[in-house]
Amino acid sequence: MMSGTGRRYVASVEDVREVAGVLVLLMYAALFAAPLWAIAVVVKLVSVILPGRRPDWGRDLLRWCAGMAAAGAVITYAFGAGAIQAAVNEASSGASSLPASPCRSLPPGVLAQVAGHEPSYVPLGFDCLLTDGSVAAGDGDSYTSLNTMVVAFALAAVLALIAVGCLDEYRARTGRRAGRSGEGPVEGESTGGLSV
């Protein structure tokens, strides 16, 4: 960044620690939000099962699912980013800080060669740098599963939004056809759960 005097701004150690603290706080917020998210999903599933829904419940359910899938992706990513930052903080200070805790799960022969570590936030990961220049993934497959869950939630959100758009387009085309022919849907006629 450039300041008004033309000098470059260099991030200080305090700035980096501040950002690191925010990521860890986001992880704790995600840990708090995850059970609330799960309760909301269960309540919505129960409401879908019970009778007495509005005629246009299908579209609303798709929109709700898209929002909850997006929230699931954010919660999962925040948890993973916070866990990575907590491991970086632990590895940067204190006794028994090296090798970093995610690198301690490596086999003994590889563990003896650990020279450092490098966090990755996109995609989530924690790499252990070895003395021969190669890289070993720390913490096994835990970050792979978090990345998979983030992508699955995000993809589900996008697909649900596409489905809402397709449903709206279908309703618009059906309405135009009904308007030209002078016919409309019969009162009380079932539309297969999705309102047209």
Side-chain angles (χ1 to χ4, degrees):
M1 290 184 182
M2 300 293 280
S3 66
T5 61
R7 288 190 234 160
R8 280 187 62 113
Y9 173 75
V10 178
S12 66
V13 173
E14 290 81 25
D15 293 338
V16 172
R17 285 187 183 145
E18 211 171 279
V19 170
V22 169
L23 287 175
V24 173
L25 285 175
L26 284 175
M27 176 187 67
Y28 289 122
L31 286 173
F32 176 72
L36 299 176
W37 179 87
I39 291 168
V41 169
V42 169
V43 167
K44 189 65 168 189
L45 288 174
V46 169
S47 75
V48 168
I49 294 170
L50 295 176
R53 294 182 294 274
R54 294 184 333 208
D56 62 344
W57 70 273
R59 182 179 189 280
D60 290 343
L61 181 64
L62 283 172
R63 287 181 57 213
W64 185 86
C65 287
M68 291 306 280
V74 169
I75 288 170
T76 306
Y77 182 81
F79 176 72
I84 289 170
Q85 191 56 50
V88 169
N89 288 348
E90 181 184 334
S92 63
S93 63
S96 180
S97 61
L98 289 175
S101 59
C103 297
R104 293 180 189 156
S105 63
L106 296 173
V110 178
L111 183 60
Q113 297 179 12
V114 172
H117 61 272
E118 187 172 321
S120 170
Y121 296 98
V122 177
L124 295 171
F126 198 94
D127 294 332
C128 304
L129 307 174
L130 305 180
T131 54
D132 62 0
S134 61
V135 176
D139 260 357
D141 290 334
S142 63
Y143 296 116
T144 302
S145 61
L146 283 174
N147 286 324
T148 303
M149 289 182 356
V150 168
V151 169
F153 278 132
L155 184 62
V158 169
L159 290 175
L161 286 176
I162 290 171
V164 168
C166 290
L167 182 60
D168 288 345
E169 180 66 23
Y170 175 76
R171 291 165 111 187
R173 288 181 185 211
T174 305
R176 277 185 263 153
R177 278 190 224 132
R180 279 186 280 186
S181 65
E183 300 174 6
V186 177
E187 184 73 29
E189 177 182 22
S190 173
T191 58
L194 296 177
S195 172
V196 290

